[in-house]
Every structure is written in C-alpha cells, then in structure tokens.
Amino acid sequence: MAHQLSKSTFIRGEQCQKSLYLNKKRPFLRDKISAEQLAKFRRGTDVGILAQSLFPGGVDCRPKSPSQYAAKVIETAQQMADQKVNCIYEAVFQFDDVLIILDILERTGHQWNAYEVKSSKKISETYLQDAALQYHVIRGSGVDLAAFNLIYINENYEMETETVMQQLFLIKDVTAEVKARENSITAAIALSKATLTLENSPEVPIGEQCHHPYPCDFLGHCWKSVPPNSLLYLDTLESALRFSLYREGKTRIEQLPEDHLKNIDQKIQYESFKKNEVNFDKAALHTLSHIPKAAQQGSFLKVLYSQPAVPFMTGMRPYDHIPLAVSILKGNTSTEYLIAQTADGMEFFLQTLDTLNEEHIIFAEDKADVAHCVRVANRISAKAGHKTIHDSLDQLVGLREFLSDISLYLPFTADRFGIEELQKHFSATTFNLKKEVYLVKDLLEETDEVKISKQLEGVGTYVKALQQIVAGFRKLLEA
Ligand code: SF4
C-alpha cells in the first residue's frame, strides 16, 4: 500500500501541520525553491554517497523513482535475508504508513546497525527526530536493530596527503535518544496522518514556526496579507513578542507600543520603518567617520568563495572558505581573477591581496569572510611550502561590519546588509547581481573560457555595486 508520510514530510509536519497539508494537497502554492536550498540539498546527497566508503561492498537498493518504492521495500527484505549480504545502501522500509530510505544498514551478527549520514558539523534536534522516525519504522518492519547511528562531519579534521574518510566522518550512537522518543513519534505520526485526511487545511496562524528550524516554503502564501511595514519584520524585537502583538491585531508599525523598544538598535529600526527611510546611529558614526571619507581613495574588493564539505587540498578542513574568484576595483576599472583550487592557486590569491597593501583603504562586502579566506589560503599555502601573507588585514573595511557598527537599518527588510537591498537604497544604478551560489556553481563546473569570463564579469558586478553603495552612503551623510 502506498505510504502517507516520508522522512521529509514527517519533519515538515513537525514544523507545521499546515505546511504538511499544503505540501500534499496544494503543492502549487509552494514558493519556488531557492538556490541556497538547492545547493544544500546537493551537498547532502554527495556526502551521503561518500560515507558509503566507510562500509565497502554494500548492495545498493536506491529507488530510481517513486514508482519503485514498493518494489525496493521487497528488495531490501530479500537482500537482508541473503546471508552473503552484509551491508545495504539506501535500504527502504515501510511501516505505519511511513516510508523511509536509510543511508546505510550493516549486518552485525544476527542483528543490524543503522547509519544515517548528515552533511553537517553538528547533530541537531531535527536530526535526532529524523533518526527516531527511522528507528520506529525499521523496528516496526520487524528488523532486529542493535543500534541507530548518525554519521556527520568532523569539523576538526585537516587533510594531509589524502582525504581519510575514517577521520573526516564522526559516528555517534543515538540509540538511547531515539528510543526515548518512541511514544512521541507514534503520536506525531498519528497526528500527521489525521491532518492529511482533512478536507481543508488546518487553521495554523503564522508564527515562529514559519522560520524554524527551516524557512517554510509556503511563506508567500501564508504571509501574503502581512503588510510590508508590519512590525513582524522588526527583527530587533524578540520574535515571540512580535507574534503575540500580531495575534492581538497589531500589524502595522504605528501600532507598536513604544515602551517595547528597549535598546538603541530597536529604536533605530523602529524609526526606519516608521519614516520609511534609512536610519543609523549618528553618534556611533562619529567615531568611524574616516571610513566614508576615505571611500573616494579606496579600492573595492570582492572574494567569491566556496565551502566544500570534503577537503581536497593538504591543510584544508571541512567547510573552509576556499577563494574561487577575486574582483578588485580601482577608480573605474575592475580586474577579475580566477583562483585555481590548488595550493598554487591559494598562493596566487594571497599575492593578489598583497598588491592591495599600498592602498589607503580597501572596502569589501564582509571582512570576516575575506579574513577566513586568507587564513585558509595561508594554511594551505604554508603546507605546500609556498608564501603566506600577514593576515591582520588592517586596511580592510567590511561594509557589513561598518554598517553594523553604526546600527544601520533599512526600512521593511530583514536583509539589511544584503548587497541587493543596499543598492536599492544607496545607489541610483540597479545592478544585475547574479546570485553568489550560482556564480560559485558555474565557476566550479564550467570549462569553457568564454563562459568562465562571463561568470567573472558577474563577480565584477559586485565590486561596482559595492562602490556605488559606499558613494551613496557618503551622499547621505553630506545631505
Ligand atoms: S508559512 Fe508558517 S503557517 Fe504557513 S505553512 Fe509555513 S510554517 Fe505553517
């Protein structure tokens, strides 16, 4: 019989029963999947396959399409009955109308060990709940499960001459945790199954669950009646307070009782929303006033980087910031560089930044990100016996850090340091900024030189936008 729930729909229901219902019954109301989510999804898939090498020689039961689910449940059982099979990848089970696909199932004597792979450096509450669901379904299918384990990324791993999977991955036995959740899982499955039988979607008011643990993909549908100047977007205010005011019918910013504003950031953001204009702490700017003044003489820097889960260079750690492309704007001319994903490339990146040392001030979007790239490039370069540079980056000003220091807020947006939002407010020019996640993907995958230089132009657009934003900010100060 066809299943009603899967791992992902169960977790969706844990976040919000309305989301579960809409996903099944009104999928056309779903927001378009974001590039970031797509990239994360791909990352998870790759790491899952890599972790299989910890258990070599397994039989693959992965369904190629949903139409194969039922057949793969039978095939998994057949493989388990075969004493010659000691390990199964993507084992499929169904129980209690829930279908799950387990990453790795390993025979241990007369019992089995289950392993679920996560591409994360930490074990979250959602992962434990996901593991508890799988434990329930596998045990319910009649499997004598000795242990349930989560495999995740060891953030302290540093690659030497090659990637050692046994060191890259950590394995945690979570059997006790998932057993303790057995009753609540049974109840949660019953609740979700009942929701799916409803005629209409359950009445669930918007709330903190809309963004936690994941941004819901029905935000566009459920939040469409929230006015743009709603106090719900006033993110300096505690979210529980915002939603309780919202439920009282206080939707517009003018309806916010001012005695709720306790600190300078809340007051500045409130004024920004109320007057529909950029607002910041003028007193804090006084101590940093040399920065906007220096904007005319400075250079502008963009470092595009990737964060691979799996290290591939000596000295590299999981999720290190690996520089991929650099754009430098001096005056009206920008120059773009593609950074090879090798120790030589890291040295070239460092030397490129070193040429900027003479500059009075260098503006980057985010100083912390550039600093991370420099630290990583220095580490990899040093391991290869190449040159390193000083990583103090004294002359580097991060736009985000600067705007945060002066408590700058834009009206009606939570993404106050996003380049796209900032350019709307500070620049007369609208730049066609290609999403970074796409630039990274295309630069990593592209081999055609013409197409690569097109992507590099896209990186160059960021420095031009940055220059315009800083110039726009100076004009605001002079007004
Ligand atoms: S947007 Fe919020 S209320 Fe609507 S389905 Fe998603 S989590 Fe539920």
Side-chain angles (χ1 to χ4, degrees):
M1 200 177 118
H3 63 281
Q4 292 186 48
L5 294 166
S6 64
K7 272 192 287 189
S8 61
T9 54
F10 175 80
I11 294 298
R12 183 183 280 276
E14 288 286 273
Q15 181 167 347
C16 175
Q17 288 290 301
K18 184 176 177 183
S19 170
L20 172 76
Y21 182 91
L22 293 176
N23 182 59
K24 186 91 169 186
K25 306 281 177 101
R26 312 271 188 278
F28 51 87
L29 295 175
R30 201 185 295 136
D31 301 333
K32 275 206 289 190
I33 188 163
S34 74
E36 286 85 352
Q37 285 166 317
L38 261 178
K40 275 186 190 157
F41 178 74
R42 282 199 202 98
R43 190 170 75 196
T45 308
D46 296 342
V47 169
I49 289 170
L50 209 58
Q52 290 176 354
S53 63
L54 296 171
F55 303 88
V59 173
D60 196 349
C61 278
R62 176 193 293 264
K64 290 190 178 61
S65 71
S67 64
Q68 290 189 335
Y69 287 158
K72 289 292 178 180
V73 170
I74 295 166
E75 189 183 323
T76 298
Q78 288 168 341
Q79 296 289 1
M80 289 174 72
D82 182 345
Q83 293 303 312
K84 295 193 290 306
V85 173
N86 288 315
C87 180
I88 300 171
Y89 307 137
E90 311 284 339
V92 188
F93 298 96
Q94 186 170 333
F95 171 70
D96 207 1
D97 300 314
V98 184
L99 182 126
I100 62 114
I101 304 174
L102 174 75
D103 286 325
I104 298 159
L105 184 68
E106 178 199 36
R107 191 189 295 276
T108 167
H110 298 297
Q111 293 181 297
W112 295 86
N113 283 334
Y115 298 87
E116 177 69 9
V117 184
K118 299 296 175 193
S119 58
S120 170
K121 297 188 282 186
K122 297 271 181 296
I123 290 178
S124 68
E125 167 59 26
T126 305
Y127 293 165
L128 288 171
Q129 201 61 356
D130 171 348
L133 175 77
Q134 297 196 60
Y135 183 82
H136 172 82
V137 172
I138 297 170
R139 295 257 304 164
S141 302
V143 177
D144 190 356
L145 210 51
F148 198 101
N149 305 276
L150 288 176
I151 299 180
Y152 62 109
I153 302 280
N154 175 9
E155 62 185 327
N156 297 316
Y157 172 69
E158 185 172 306
M159 183 180 149
E160 291 182 11
T161 47
E162 59 184 31
T163 310
V164 181
M165 297 304 161
Q166 286 76 5
Q167 294 171 9
L168 170 65
F169 290 110
L170 294 174
I171 301 179
K172 182 170 166 58
D173 183 339
V174 293
T175 316
E177 284 99 323
V178 299
K179 272 184 177 171
R181 291 167 189 241
E182 185 72 47
N183 289 341
S184 67
I185 289 288
T186 307
I189 291 172
L191 173 69
S192 287
K193 287 199 298 192
T195 295
L196 293 176
T197 63
L198 296 174
E199 286 285 316
N200 296 304
S201 72
E203 289 288 332
V204 180
I206 58 172
E208 289 178 281
Q209 84 282 357
C210 296
H211 293 96
H212 301 287
Y214 307 110
C216 177
D217 46 10
F218 289 102
L219 286 170
H221 171 69
C222 295
W223 285 60
K224 62 177 180 281
S225 58
V226 177
N229 68 340
S230 167
L231 54 82
L232 280 183
Y233 296 117
L234 205 70
D235 61 358
T236 47
L237 220 57
E238 201 189 320
S239 71
L241 173 62
R242 277 183 272 151
F243 282 108
S244 87
L245 289 166
Y246 188 78
R247 283 192 289 274
E248 285 169 23
K250 296 189 174 75
T251 54
R252 286 174 295 107
I253 197 74
E254 301 81 27
Q255 294 172 292
L256 176 72
E258 287 198 33
D259 59 354
H260 284 307
L261 303 169
K262 306 286 185 215
N263 60 44
I264 183 83
D265 277 84
Q266 289 170 346
K267 288 173 186 163
I268 290 174
Q269 191 182 29
Y270 172 77
E271 284 299 317
S272 168
F273 272 46
K274 206 168 154 191
K275 294 181 181 159
N276 188 13
E277 63 186 28
V278 175
N279 193 21
F280 57 93
D281 183 356
K282 280 93 189 167
L285 179 68
H286 183 67
T287 60
L288 302 158
S289 59
H290 64 289
I291 293 172
K293 281 189 198 121
Q296 276 174 329
Q297 307 136 29
S299 299
F300 296 86
L301 169 72
K302 171 71 186 172
V303 179
L304 186 77
Y305 61 87
S306 66
Q307 288 184 271
V310 182
F312 53 83
M313 290 182 272
T314 300
M316 191 174 158
R317 298 174 191 160
Y319 296 113
D320 263 344
H321 288 29
I322 303 296
L324 183 59
V326 172
S327 178
I328 296 167
L329 179 69
K330 292 181 187 179
N332 289 324
T333 310
S334 77
T335 313
E336 282 72 45
Y337 305 91
L338 183 67
I339 309 297
Q341 303 296 282
T342 60
D344 288 353
M346 297 304 109
E347 185 185 39
F348 173 74
F349 165 71
L350 295 169
Q351 284 171 346
T352 305
L353 290 203
D354 220 21
T355 61
L356 288 169
N357 269 346
E358 303 303 311
E359 300 297 332
H360 185 55
I361 279 200
I362 307 155
F363 283 90
E365 203 178 325
D366 189 317
K367 181 172 179 172
D369 280 346
V370 178
H372 194 153
C373 286
V374 169
R375 271 200 311 279
V376 170
N378 266 337
R379 193 193 321 129
I380 296 168
S381 198
K383 287 271 178 186
H386 295 344
K387 286 190 195 134
T388 58
I389 63 168
H390 209 279
D391 61 6
S392 62
L393 305 173
D394 289 335
Q395 290 147 299
L396 190 69
V397 174
L399 186 70
R400 279 171 211 261
E401 289 86 350
F402 168 64
L403 297 181
S404 170
D405 286 345
I406 61 167
S407 297
L408 181 132
Y409 286 92
L410 305 175
F412 317 142
T413 178
D415 187 19
R416 64 191 178 115
F417 301 142
I419 284 282
E420 286 181 33
E421 282 295 336
L422 287 168
Q423 79 164 21
K424 258 201 288 186
H425 291 273
F426 287 116
S427 163
T429 319
T430 301
F431 292 93
N432 187 14
L433 294 166
K434 184 168 172 176
K435 289 245 180 239
E436 288 189 43
V437 68
Y438 287 128
L439 281 173
V440 168
K441 180 179 168 295
D442 290 348
L443 278 171
L444 286 172
E445 291 174 359
E446 197 53 75
T447 52
D448 182 295
E449 281 189 18
V450 177
K451 288 184 182 158
I452 287 175
S453 62
K454 193 90 195 130
Q455 304 305 328
L456 287 174
E457 273 174 33
V459 183
T461 314
Y462 275 83
V463 277
K464 289 175 191 127
L466 193 58
Q467 184 189 43
Q468 294 286 313
I469 290 164
V470 174
F473 186 69
R474 289 187 75 242
K475 269 198 200 140
L476 179 82
L477 292 180
E478 286 159 9

